[in-house]
Each structure stands twice: as C-alpha cells, then as structure tokens.
C-alpha cells in the first residue's frame, strides 16, 4: 500500500491516537488530509495506522523530546514537504494534590508534556510553514487555563501558559501567513478523564462523567467529537482574520453560574 502523503494536505496531530486527537484525525482524514499521528502510545498508534490505511502514518514519539521533533520534521520534509496544519494536542492530567505536596519532579513532568511540547511543536511547524507562507496551527489548551478550581494546579498553570504562548506566537506568525489559535476544552469524555488510575481522581471523574451537573450550564460532559470539530473548523474553515483566539468549548462552564442554580430572588426578578 502506498503510504506517502502525495499531494494531499498534510497535517500533524500530537497525541492523535486517542480521545480528542483521534477524533480530529478521523475528521481530517474524512476531509482528504494525510495525517501524521505523533504519539507515545504504540498500541493505539498502530491501530490507527491499520484503521486509516494510507491516510495516516504513525510516528511513535515522546513529545518532550527535541530530537524526535527534529526527526518528525525530516519525515515531513521528505514526504511532500508541504504542511497544511499542526495540532499540539498531546497531554496528561499530571499530579493531583495540595500545593504543599507537589514535587519539583511533578512540576517538570507536567510542564514538559503540556508546555515544552507545545513550544517544540509550534517551532517545528513555524520552521516548515514560514517558507511556504501559509499554514494553520491549533494548540490545545483547556478551560483550566482560564478558570481556577477545575483541575490540578500544575495542569492549570501549564495550560494558562499554552494560551498566552500561543497568542504571543500568533502575533508574530500572522505576518508569515500562518494562523495560530487555541482550543480550550471543558470536561471531555476521553481516557484522560475516564481512564484515571490515581485513586484520588476516581471520585471526581465519576462525578464529571455523571454530567457535571453542579457547575455547568450545559449539564453534561463534552464528546471528543465536539472538541475535534472546533479544532477542524479552525484548521480548515475559519476565516483568516481569527488570530490567537482561545476558542472555549466548555458547555458554558467558564461563562457563568447555571440558571437552574440561581437563587430564587434572581429567577423571580427575571420572570
Ligand atoms: N478530556 C478533557 O476533559 C480535556 C479538557 C481540557 C483539555 N484537554 C486536553 O486535550 C488534549 C487531549 O487529551 P484527551 O482528553 O484527548 O486525552 P487522551 O488521554 O485520550 O489523549 C492524550 C494523548 O496524548 C498522548 N500523550 C501523552 N503524553 C505524551 C507524550 N509525552 N508524548 C507523546 N504523546 C503523549 C497519549 O498517548 C494520548 O494519545 C490534552 O492536551 C488535554 O490536556 C482535555
């Protein structure tokens, strides 16, 4: 089977073998893209390779490695050399706990996987896209980067940095014809939430999976496809004028208190 990108639009999705990344892979392939899935999960990556045939190439890598990003760049250049889009999506929940218990190792792991990877991926994409004068980059942030109390501390800090880093780079790259934007998901039904292994996460994950009824205007958790559709829209359909935008896809969680939980006097006032 010919597995080369040929003349199709080429996209890279880090963490593209699972959850939001997988759903985005599916949508881009449906639009005729050739997708490099850059992921450390070999089982899921190989399964994607089998499922999508010559529309996908699995590139096993740890997104914290500068050397592996360079190898990924060589692969793209030796393919058709043109890069349509790059999604920095790989992520982990990171350590959970009060600030007094977190270690420097916890900090480094969270920031390497969630932030250093976005720097390395954005830099690689910019190096390839700048000479071609076009391209779209979407970095996956989180509502946790905008709104406190819904995630572990180190995750929240790294995601806030992803948003501001992306906006800073967006301002530079717009002059080279490259659009950088951010998608900030709310709670989404993927293994990062549903496949938790840390016991302290389990109760919380069950509550989230139960519909996030206490805190969110839309009383349910998102489907991965809803986030993937937002990423795909920014990559393929959004007007050129959208630059450095943090697109929040969270069922209203960061917008305001659910109407059903408003005090009675407010409901009376508005009726
Ligand atoms: N699910 C949610 O509720 C939620 C909410 C907000 C933001 N996000 C973000 O969405 C993105 C995708 O997560 P998801 O929910 O689809 O979870 P997921 O666990 O299904 O997918 C994450 C993917 O990243 C890969 N990955 C993790 N560390 C890696 C590394 N060091 N090198 C290479 N690949 C690595 C995993 O193998 C996996 O395929 C993440 O950045 C996450 O922080 C998720």
């Amino acid at each position: 089977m010919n597995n080369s990108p040929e003349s199709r639009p080429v996209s890279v999705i880090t963490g593209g073998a699972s959850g939001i990344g997988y759903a985005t892979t599916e949508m881009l392939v449906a639009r005729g893209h050739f997708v490099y899935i850059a992921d450390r999960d070999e089982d899921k990556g190989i399964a994607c390779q089998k499922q999508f045939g010559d529309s996908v190439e699995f590139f096993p890598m740890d997104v914290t490695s500068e050397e592996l990003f360079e190898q990924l760049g060589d692969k793209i250049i030796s393919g058709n050399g043109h890069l349509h889009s790059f999604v920095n999506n790989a992520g982990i929940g990171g350590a959970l706990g009060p600030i007094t218990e977190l270690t420097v190792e916890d900090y480094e792991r969270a920031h390497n996987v969630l932030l250093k990877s976005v720097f390395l991926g954005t830099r690689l994409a910019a190096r390839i896209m700048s000479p071609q004068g076009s391209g779209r980059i979407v970095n996956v942030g989180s509502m946790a980067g905008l709104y406190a109390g819904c995630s572990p501390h180190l995750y929240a800090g790294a995601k806030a940095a992803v948003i501001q880093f992306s906006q800073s780079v967006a301002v530079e790259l717009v002059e080279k014809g490259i659009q950088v934007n951010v998608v900030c998901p709310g709670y989404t039904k993927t293994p990062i939430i549903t496949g938790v292994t840390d016991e302290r996460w389990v109760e919380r994950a069950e509550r989230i999976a139960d519909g996030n009824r206490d805190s969110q205007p839309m009383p349910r958790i998102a489907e991965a496809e809803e986030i993937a559709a937002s990423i795909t829209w920014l990559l393929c359909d959004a007007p050129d004028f959208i630059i450095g935008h943090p697109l929040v896809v969270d069922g209203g969680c960061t917008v305001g208190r659910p109407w059903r939980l408003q005090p009675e006097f407010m409901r009376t006032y508005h009726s």
Side-chain angles (χ1 to χ4, degrees):
M1 188 178 282
N2 177 6
N3 201 25
S4 74
E6 302 152 4
S7 58
R8 288 173 281 179
V10 173
S11 299
V12 177
I13 308 179
T14 70
S18 174
I20 292 167
Y22 170 82
T24 309
T25 299
E26 235 181 350
M27 285 181 195
L28 290 180
V29 166
R31 283 170 168 259
H33 286 226
F34 178 90
V35 179
Y36 288 106
I37 292 179
D39 202 301
R40 68 173 177 187
D41 189 326
E42 301 221 0
D43 291 343
K44 286 187 180 171
I46 290 165
C48 286
Q49 178 85 72
K50 281 193 187 137
Q51 181 187 348
F52 296 111
D54 70 356
S55 294
V56 156
E57 182 166 342
F58 172 51
F59 187 81
M61 72 176 282
D62 183 332
V63 291
T64 66
S65 163
E66 180 176 21
E67 192 188 331
L68 290 174
F69 266 107
E70 276 166 18
Q71 289 176 21
L72 175 62
D74 292 343
K75 181 153 266 296
I76 296 163
I77 301 288
S78 67
N80 81 7
H82 189 276
L83 186 56
H84 178 281
S85 45
F86 201 109
V87 185
N88 287 295
N89 161 78
I92 53 170
L96 182 72
I99 185 65
T100 47
E101 285 181 18
L102 296 174
T103 66
V104 170
E105 290 72 30
D106 293 335
Y107 171 87
E108 285 171 349
R109 177 156 164 68
H111 281 72
N112 281 340
V113 178
L114 295 169
L115 182 58
K116 180 184 175 192
S117 67
V118 175
F119 157 64
L120 292 172
T122 304
R123 186 179 69 173
L124 174 65
R127 284 178 174 165
I128 298 173
M129 290 171 178
S130 294
Q132 66 191 32
S134 68
R136 294 193 173 193
I137 299 170
V138 170
N139 293 334
V140 178
S142 170
M143 72 172 176
L146 298 162
Y147 179 75
C150 61
S151 81
H153 297 315
L154 296 170
Y155 181 90
K159 289 296 191 182
V162 165
I163 295 166
Q164 188 60 28
F165 167 77
S166 305
Q167 293 182 320
S168 182
V169 176
V171 170
E172 177 196 335
L173 291 184
V174 68
E175 294 184 8
K176 295 184 172 142
I178 304 164
Q179 264 176 280
V180 184
N181 286 295
V182 191
V183 166
C184 299
Y187 296 120
T188 308
K189 207 186 293 167
T190 73
I192 213 172
I193 294 239
T194 56
V196 288
T197 50
D198 182 331
E199 277 182 15
R200 289 178 299 176
W201 262 104
V202 171
E203 191 197 332
R204 180 169 188 137
E206 280 169 357
R207 279 171 57 80
I208 292 167
D210 189 37
N212 205 21
R213 290 180 211 288
D214 295 348
S215 58
Q216 195 166 292
M218 185 169 282
R220 66 170 175 83
I221 191 167
E223 299 294 333
E225 290 71 20
E226 292 174 288
I227 312 302
S230 311
I231 296 170
T232 303
W233 178 73
L234 282 169
L235 294 175
C236 301
D237 298 323
D240 290 347
F241 220 59
I242 298 181
I243 301 295
H245 182 67
L247 179 59
V248 183
V249 191
D250 69 349
C253 193
T254 58
V255 174
R257 187 184 171 125
W259 183 246
R260 63 189 172 280
L261 298 183
Q262 294 286 352
E264 195 49 42
F265 80 89
M266 280 291 289
R267 301 178 71 100
T268 312
Y269 178 78
H270 281 284
S271 63

